[in-house]
Amino acid sequence: MYFSQMQTVLFIGLVWPEPGSSAAGRRIVQLAFLFRDAGYQVVFASAASRSAYSFPLTQSGIQEQPILLNDSSFDEMIRTIQPAIVVFDRFMAEEQYGWRVRECCPSALTILDTEDLHLVRRARQDAIKRCSEPNYYTEIAKRELAAILRTDISLIISRVEMELLQDVFAIRPEILYYLPFLEDEIHGEEDQTWRTFEERQHFLFIGNFMHEPNWHTVQILKSKVWPQLKKRVPEAELHIFGAYASDKVHQLHQPKDRFLVRGRADDARKTMENYRVLLAPIQFGAGIKGKFVDAMQSGTPSATTSVGAESMMANGLWNGVVEDDLELFIEEAAKLYQTQRIWQDAQLKGTQILEENFSKLALGPPFLTRIQSLSTSLPLHRQKNFLGQILQTQALNSTKYMSLWIEEKQRQCPDKGPK
């Protein structure tokens, strides 16, 4: 335990986490478990509706707390539990609830888990459509950066994003903390249980289809990669997995073409164990990609682009292929699939990357120590981030009073008020 007396950490989620559906869901559960295992009492609150795939937090010792958006009942709840720490799940949660947290629990340490920077993902997506360089100076950037400044510390999952925030937007490093995925290290007994090269077959892609980069990647696979790759590897099929696949995704299913849309995978890592290579020629996105961590954990080499492997390589190593030229990508992916020596070497590199970049044992304790240090010197820390205090008292007022106006309208006209 990092504190002798149990303290409460309140997570405020945009949705109830679905670690089986998205890397974002897995990330927020990892954080909750990290605090739980350090001796904190953890409460997870959300105004969203649960789905059949929502993680059963209560079974893992985490209290679930339904809340309402734009409703003063949240104030009563947070005053009752008096959290020492509040974690906002992405900047939109901070916009919605940050002012209430600061009014009701001003001494609570506030943490923004950015997951990945929305300003980066949106800028890169727009750049692909316009065939231009990314423009990061956008309205969504203003909102996200404001949330970072208002919060005591923000968790950044990518080294590239850390550099962007400090070098381009001049965000002080003291209010940022690099914290990627927190993974268990692979030991000899785990890799001995992996399926061998001969026991695996076919390519796969996996990704949540509510995430635009995944849908775009599948289109690249269907139109540009698979027509050539299937000729080089005539014995292989390409299987597409992902949560929330719409009709437009299922319409790509063509068994005669060996292009098969499988839908949701109940367990991404167990599914990957059956396949020889993960194909993911990602063209845009942000943060780091959970699908590649899953691939490394299941001993599955991957072929991707520099965007896909961004901030994930260890000393230039990758567990497979990193290539932006699609012709070379196809050629190297075929070699990775067909050559056992290359494939086994890639598998080994994956275990090295996990150990060097994503070890929970290496990353967790320093983070908790940093949080403890901030908690004991919070007034001084906030004084140094005076710009954040200015944003709390000025720019945030519009969000605050809009929320109060919505709440009053709902009280007067419960069936007609805006939601």
Side-chain angles (χ1 to χ4, degrees), residues 10-70:
L10 172 65
F11 282 76
I12 303 177
L14 288 178
V15 297
W16 295 100
E18 296 184 17
S21 301
S22 70
R26 187 184 316 118
R27 157 66 165 201
I28 203 71
V29 169
Q30 286 180 345
L31 281 179
F33 282 9
L34 184 66
F35 280 109
R36 179 203 63 184
D37 294 344
Y40 292 88
Q41 179 179 345
V42 180
V43 179
F44 196 101
S46 179
S49 299
R50 291 179 176 82
S51 78
Y53 305 101
S54 298
F55 188 79
L57 294 165
T58 54
Q59 295 180 18
S60 300
I62 296 172
Q63 180 183 337
E64 296 181 358
Q65 179 64 57
I67 54 177
L68 297 175
L69 183 61
N70 300 314

Side-chain angles (χ1 to χ4, degrees), residues 10-297:
L10 172 65
F11 282 76
I12 303 177
L14 288 178
V15 297
W16 295 100
E18 296 184 17
S21 301
S22 70
R26 187 184 316 118
R27 157 66 165 201
I28 203 71
V29 169
Q30 286 180 345
L31 281 179
F33 282 9
L34 184 66
F35 280 109
R36 179 203 63 184
D37 294 344
Y40 292 88
Q41 179 179 345
V42 180
V43 179
F44 196 101
S46 179
S49 299
R50 291 179 176 82
S51 78
Y53 305 101
S54 298
F55 188 79
L57 294 165
T58 54
Q59 295 180 18
S60 300
I62 296 172
Q63 180 183 337
E64 296 181 358
Q65 179 64 57
I67 54 177
L68 297 175
L69 183 61
N70 300 314
D71 195 281
S72 57
S73 60
F74 176 87
D75 305 349
E76 299 170 10
M77 180 274 294
I78 196 170
R79 285 194 181 102
T80 298
I81 67 173
Q82 283 295 308
I85 300 170
V86 177
V87 181
F88 300 106
D89 174 20
R90 286 162 282 195
F91 79 90
M92 294 80 80
E94 192 279 337
E95 287 182 330
Q96 294 166 349
Y97 296 98
W99 67 271
R100 291 185 182 273
V101 170
R102 295 178 187 101
E103 285 193 354
C104 299
C105 298
S107 62
L109 172 70
T110 56
I111 301 174
L112 173 60
D113 185 33
T114 60
E115 302 286 357
D116 58 27
L117 288 181
H118 294 67
L119 70 92
V120 173
R121 175 156 35 93
R122 187 72 60 82
R124 290 176 173 178
Q125 180 177 339
D126 292 342
I128 288 289
K129 293 178 179 178
R130 297 192 311 266
C131 297
S132 63
E133 291 298 313
N135 171 30
Y136 297 118
Y137 300 94
T138 60
E139 289 301 314
I140 197 169
K142 295 175 185 177
R143 292 173 56 195
E144 192 162 27
L145 293 172
I148 289 173
L149 289 168
R150 287 190 297 260
T151 309
D152 293 319
I153 193 164
S154 293
L155 307 183
I156 311 300
I157 205 168
S158 157
R159 292 190 182 94
V160 169
E161 293 180 353
M162 283 286 286
E163 293 172 2
L164 178 76
L165 289 172
Q166 294 177 67
D167 298 343
V168 176
F169 293 109
I171 301 296
R172 296 174 60 251
E174 292 82 1
I175 64 171
L176 305 174
Y177 194 93
Y178 170 66
L179 191 70
F181 292 123
L182 304 170
E183 296 293 323
D184 294 323
E185 293 183 10
I186 294 175
H187 303 288
E189 58 270 20
E190 281 95 344
D191 57 31
Q192 292 298 317
T193 64
W194 287 340
R195 290 178 179 268
T196 65
F197 177 85
E198 296 87 355
E199 291 172 332
R200 299 176 183 234
Q201 60 179 345
H202 305 319
F203 296 93
L204 87 153
F205 172 82
I206 190 166
N208 186 324
F209 286 104
M210 295 180 70
H211 194 54
E212 183 64 24
N214 288 325
W215 165 236
H216 186 269
T217 300
V218 169
Q219 292 176 289
I220 294 292
L221 286 169
K222 177 66 174 177
S223 62
K224 298 181 179 180
V225 172
W226 189 242
Q228 298 303 317
L229 184 55
K230 70 179 181 181
K231 297 175 183 177
R232 293 175 176 267
V233 192
E235 72 276 16
E237 300 172 353
L238 174 53
H239 296 189
I240 307 298
F241 290 90
Y244 301 105
S246 62
D247 289 342
K248 65 182 180 182
V249 179
H250 287 288
Q251 287 171 1
L252 301 179
H253 180 76
Q254 292 183 353
K256 292 182 179 180
D257 196 36
R258 292 180 277 135
F259 192 99
L260 308 176
V261 178
R262 296 298 196 189
R264 180 187 290 270
D266 292 334
D267 186 311
R269 295 180 182 180
K270 289 188 178 300
T271 297
M272 285 187 174
E273 289 176 354
N274 299 307
Y275 290 85
R276 194 174 290 178
V277 173
L278 169 66
L279 282 182
I282 298 169
Q283 303 298 299
F284 64 89
I288 57 179
K289 316 302 183 291
K291 57 176 62 62
F292 298 121
V293 171
D294 289 336
M296 295 174 201
Q297 287 282 13

